[in-house]
Structures are given as C-alpha cells and as structure tokens.
C-alpha cells in the first residue's frame, strides 16, 4: 500500500496524468470549435454534443479525485429530496473555503449524472485558462467581472440563454464571491457590522446581487435551491497537488433542498433571505466543528465508472504516440532536438504551474481584500 502511495507521487505518473489531460483537452477544445457551424443549424444538438465533449474533460479531474486519490464523499441530506437530485434543474449555493471545493462539486455532479451540463457563475479570469476555461465557452458558463455595473446586463443575458437548455443542470453560485482568507473575512465582517447584520464565523458575507439575478432569471426553469455546505474531515485543507499525488481525503457535504417558490422575488427581501441562509450555514459549520458531522442522515451516492473509462480511453489513445515520439527523439538525438524538447517541456511545466495556481488560495485575487469606505447608516 505504501509502495503504491509512493508510486502515485512519482514524477513520471504526474507527467502522464498531465500529458493525457492537456493533449486530450486541446483535442476536445478543437472538436468543440468544429461544432460552431452546428449551432446555426441545430442549437440543441450542438449543446448536447458539447455536454458530452465537456464531460470528457471535467470527468478526468473527477477520475483523479475518486480513482487516483481515492477521496470519499459523504452526502448528508433528507432522504425525501434525494430522488430529485439530478432529475431537475437547481441552483447550488456552496461555501468557498477549500481549494478543491469545485472538484468535490463536480464529483457529486457526476454521481447524479449532471456533470457535462452543470454551470457556474465564474469570474471572467477563469475563461482564459486553457482546456477548462475554453471548454466553458461552449458549455455556456456564465462569466462575471465582479463589477455589478457591467455584470448586471451580461449575466442576466447569459442566464436567459439557459432557459431552454436541453438537459438538467445544476447552477453553482459561490455567493461569497471569493475564497475565504482571514483578511477577507475581517473586512467582510466590518461590512456586515456596518449593515447591522450578525457576524459570521466560517463564511464571508455573501454578495446578494448574483443570487438575486440568478433566481430572477431562472425562475420557472429551476425547481429548487440546493443549500450546500462542504467540509473535510480531520481539519484537512486539501489541494489539487495533494489529489494528483494520490492523497486521500474525506469530504462531507450537507445539502438542503429549498423549493424556489420559497425565495422572495423582491430584491431586498431576497438579499435578506440569503443573509439568513448564511447565518444558518454558519451554524451547520459550527455543528461540524463541535461534533465532526453535519446534522441528519447520510448517504454515499454510488460512484460511476464512466470517469475512469473515459480516462483509460484517452490514455490508450495518447500514450502510444508519445512512446513513438520519445523513441524517435532518443534515436535521432541531436543537440537541436534535445534543446527544443527541453524548451517545450519547460514552457509546458510553467503553464501547468500557472494552471494549478488558479486553484490555490494563497494566490487568490485581491477581490474583497480592500478596506471599504463604510457608511454606518
Ligand atoms: C446534491 C449535491 C448538491 C450539490 C453539489 C455541489 C456543487 C456542484 C454544482 C455545480 C458544479 C458546477 C461547476 C463547478 C466548476 C467549477 C467552479 C469553479 C469556480 C468558479 C467560481 C468563481 O469564479 S467565484 C467568483 C465569481 N462569482 C461570484 O462572485 C458570485 C457571487 N458574487 C455576486 O453575486 C456579486 O454580487 C456580483 C459578482 C454579481 C457583483 O459583484 P460586485 O462586487 O460588483 O457587487 P457586490 O454587490 O457584490 O458588491 C457591492 C456590495 O457589496 C458590499 N461589500 C463591499 N465589500 C464587501 C465585502 N468585502 N464583503 C461583502 N460585501 C461587501 C457593498 O457594501 C455593496 O453592498 P450593497 O448593499 O450595495 O449591495
Ligand atoms: C486528470 C486530472 C488532471 C488534473 C489537471 C487539472 C488541472 C486543472 C487546472 C486548472 C483548473 C482551472 C479551474 C479552476 C477552478 C478554480 C475554482 C476556483 O476556486 O476559483 C476561484 C474563484 O472562485 C474565486 O477566486 P479568488 O479567490 O477571488 O481568486
């Protein structure tokens, strides 16, 4: 077991995972571009094809979490709501304090059959990330600049486009708007105080505009809000490098299904509702800290084999040509080819490092980090 663990962290294993991910990802991005003319002829067919192409990319990361690192995911939820998961459109509200929270979200999406079609309100910067960001254009992910004056029109328009989406999806909202850091927490609690809102211990003060505009624009097509609170056992702070090194984590996700009709239509009332929701989420986190579990019964939604099958397919397809290329390079090794290979590998490693950096909290943006001028009225 220890030997296997050591093998997983070897450079060559990491290289293979990255090679398969990047090359298959770029091929899939290219195939997505090829679907562009189809959007003019049959938009719904183009969407269905892109859902499957997108699955081929995102499921590789799910495979890394589930099959490579062996991370376990436990769901705490009401058994009456369970059969509805994956069978209706929903808005998911999730806390944002872990580097792989999005990946655990994807794992649950996969288990409920909505991975290819799931959406998120994502910061614009992520659209430039090769493979994943480029894939997202074709999946109609909603991007925001986190500047309300600009976002209010573009976000509403992108949400309207989702109203006739042909397959069930979950729309993920990190209402905190940025990842939790002690400094951002301190500043957001100053804002809470100035607004007369109770302080939160485990969350940043939620930004309410994105939630309101999402509920307003998806009302009638989305059945519920899934209030989701994620935590990891043993106070672990998991990260992507840990996953790729084969480290096992245990995620606990507490989900409450709230019918959309219960959410107020008026903007101020909707904002107040969201603030109250975050106060409840804070109490669930307190419960978790005290007891090591969330309230209510647990269930482990079954793992599906498709993410692994997809990865094995791409690995078989791409490792053979890599072997041929390496053999050719070694046999015809000239100083120029060696230097060119070193240059290409260095550039790719820098790119990979930058991609991993996107998931790291210590490289988080400065959004929510600046002291704000507060009106105490
Ligand atoms: C059964 C299983 C269930 C669930 C499974 C779980 C999950 C799976 C689901 C789906 C998975 C799908 C995909 C996942 C894949 C990848 C995801 C990857 C990452 C993407 C994540 C991101 O990019 S997060 C960042 C972008 N998103 C957001 O920001 C969303 C939240 N933000 C908003 O809603 C904002 O309002 C906004 C972006 C729309 C606009 O922002 P802006 O800053 O311009 O305006 P604000 O209104 O927010 O700010 C002004 C008001 O805020 C007050 N203020 C000022 N400073 C602060 C502060 N520090 N904290 C809080 N509030 C502050 C200020 O006073 C203003 O107040 P007003 O009273 O005027 O409103
Ligand atoms: C087979 C597996 C191969 C694994 C290789 C995976 C490589 C993936 C590399 C990059 C993934 C890009 C998607 C990252 C999504 C990050 C989500 C995220 O957490 O964004 C932060 C955003 O909310 C808030 O940003 P700030 O805190 O304000 O800054």
């Amino acid at each position: 077991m220890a030997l296997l663990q050591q093998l997983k962290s070897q450079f060559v294993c990491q290289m293979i995972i990255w090679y398969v991910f990047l090359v298959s990802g770029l091929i899939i991005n290219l195939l997505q571009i090829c679907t562009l003319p189809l959007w003019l002829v049959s938009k719904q067919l183009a969407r269905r094809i892109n859902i499957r192409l997108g699955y081929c990319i995102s499921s590789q990361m799910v495979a890394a979490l589930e099959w490579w690192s062996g991370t376990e995911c436990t769901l705490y939820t009401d058994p009456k709501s369970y059969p509805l998961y994956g069978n209706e459109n929903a808005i998911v509200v999730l806390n944002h304090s872990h580097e792989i929270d999005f990946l655990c979200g994807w794992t649950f999406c996969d288990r409920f059959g909505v991975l290819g079609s799931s959406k998120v309100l994502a910061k614009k910067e992520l659209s430039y990330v090769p493979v994943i960001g480029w894939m997202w254009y074709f999946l109609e992910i909603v991007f925001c600049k986190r500047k309300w004056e600009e976002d209010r029109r573009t976000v509403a328009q992108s949400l309207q486009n989702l109203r006739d989406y042909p397959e069930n999806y979950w729309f993920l909202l990190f209402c905190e708007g940025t990842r939790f850091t002690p400094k951002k927490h301190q500043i957001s609690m100053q804002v809470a105080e100035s607004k007369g809102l109770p302080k939160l211990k485990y969350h940043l003060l939620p930004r309410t505009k994105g939630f309101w505009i999402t509920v307003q624009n998806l009302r009638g097509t989305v059945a519920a809000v899934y209030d989701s609170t994620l935590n990891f056992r043993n106070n672990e702070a998991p990260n992507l490098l840990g996953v790729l090194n084969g480290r096992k984590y245990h995620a606990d996700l507490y989900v409450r299904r709230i019918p959309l009709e219960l959410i107020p239509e008026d903007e101020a009332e909707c904002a107040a509702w969201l603030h109250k929701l975050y106060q409840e989420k804070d109490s669930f986190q307190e419960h978790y800290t005290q007891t090591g579990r969330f309230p209510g019964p647990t269930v482990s939604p079954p793992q599906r084999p498709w993410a692994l099958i997809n990865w094995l397919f791409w690995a078989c397809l791409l490792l053979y040509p890599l072997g041929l290329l390496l053999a050719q390079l070694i046999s015809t090794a000239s100083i120029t080819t060696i230097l060119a290979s070193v240059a290409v590998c260095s550039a790719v490693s820098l790119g990979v490092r930058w991609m991993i950096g996107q998931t790291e909290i210590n490289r988080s943006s400065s959004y929510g980090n600046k002291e704000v001028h507060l009106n105490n009225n």
Side-chain angles (χ1 to χ4, degrees), residues 9 136 159 210 286:
S9 58
W136 276 348
L159 289 165
E286 181 65 24

Side-chain angles (χ1 to χ4, degrees), residues 201-222:
K201 190 169 165 190
Y202 301 96
H203 298 86
L204 304 179
L205 188 67
R207 311 277 181 153
T208 58
K209 292 191 173 77
F211 178 74
W212 176 71
I213 203 169
T214 305
V215 170
Q216 283 307 93
N217 282 281
L218 296 183
R219 207 179 271 280
T221 59
V222 157

Side-chain angles (χ1 to χ4, degrees), residues 106 121-123 146-148 174 177 195 207 209-210 367:
W106 266 351
L121 177 54
K123 60 177 183 178
R146 295 186 285 190
K147 292 187 182 119
W148 180 241
F174 289 115
K195 292 185 174 188
R207 311 277 181 153
K209 292 191 173 77
Y367 183 73

Side-chain angles (χ1 to χ4, degrees), residues 75 85 92 94 96 102 105-106 108-109 112 118-123 126 136 144 146-148 151 170-178 184 187-188 191 195 205-211 226 228 253 255 367-368 372:
L75 181 64
Y85 299 155
V92 175
L94 187 63
H96 207 10
F102 76 97
W106 266 351
F108 282 101
C109 288
F112 289 98
S118 278
K119 317 274 167 243
V120 59
L121 177 54
K123 60 177 183 178
L126 289 174
W136 276 348
C144 63
R146 295 186 285 190
K147 292 187 182 119
W148 180 241
D151 290 337
W170 291 348
F171 189 95
L172 176 63
L173 262 176
F174 289 115
C175 295
E176 291 161 86
T178 187
K184 290 182 183 183
I187 291 172
S188 86
V191 178
K195 292 185 174 188
L205 188 67
R207 311 277 181 153
T208 58
K209 292 191 173 77
F211 178 74
Y226 296 168
S228 308
L253 183 73
V255 179
Y367 183 73
V372 278

